[in-house]
Amino acid sequence: MTTWETRKRRKADLSRRIAEGRDDAGYCRIVGCTQRTPAARGTGLSRRACRAHEDHYGRHGSYTHGSFTSKALAPHRQAAEAWLAAHHADPAVMRGVLGVHAQYAAAGQHLPATRLAGLPPFVRCRAAWARLRDAKVPPVDVLAAWLAVAATIASDPGADRHGEFRQVQAAKLLHRMASGTHRRWERSGPGGSLEVTELHKYPASRGRVLRHLGEQLERVAEAVAALFMAEREQAGNQ
Ligand SMILES: [Zn+2]
């Protein structure tokens, strides 16, 4: 082998090792991000993305797309609620409503948000259903949340198309629909004045509980969503 060929081969090897090394050496895989992963830094386990991107993923269900605001969701929620009202006697919608009732019935006792920290995600997920039930959120509104998120994603060309993003966004909307735990203490202060202490605690809207809640919502609402989205698409094409 000539020196020239050897050098060329070595150069190619080196380029390949550097290219592979970029993954192995643990850089964040999000395009444009130059941070190293927690695994590479020895500060965590993630080999996929840097800490900031993992954190974003935990909160929003997407590495890059933020959560939808109430304002962005509002027109789609209204459209979903109107559609559900017009289709309330449709067997798929009736089954969906029964599915939400079943989640409510299986959710068990209401746990105050102040006691949820540190409990496993499936327990916190049940508590989220119990909160919706006890806040008397109509099951049809729970279905509307899933439909609204599906429609918002469909009408946003830049939205994350992964199923997990849809699940997390819908679960966040459910979290917003159920109130947190609110407490109020009154006691008499000096000179007979009334001292009021209030505590407002909302469950943290992030992490695995959102995935569980979103998955369960998808299971009860996906057949309804398929009908809604098909009709929505037809109307859009006319
Ligand atoms: Zn990153």
Side-chain angles (χ1 to χ4, degrees), residues 195-207:
E195 282 186 356
V196 179
T197 311
E198 291 189 34
L199 171 75
H200 301 284
K201 176 122 181 137
Y202 295 88
S205 184
R206 60 175 302 168

Side-chain angles (χ1 to χ4, degrees), residues 77 132 135 137-138 141-142 145 172-179:
R77 275 181 85 177
L132 286 161
V137 174
D141 289 0
V142 172
K172 285 181 98 85
L173 181 50
L174 290 191
H175 262 270
R176 261 180 260 161
M177 287 159 66
S179 60

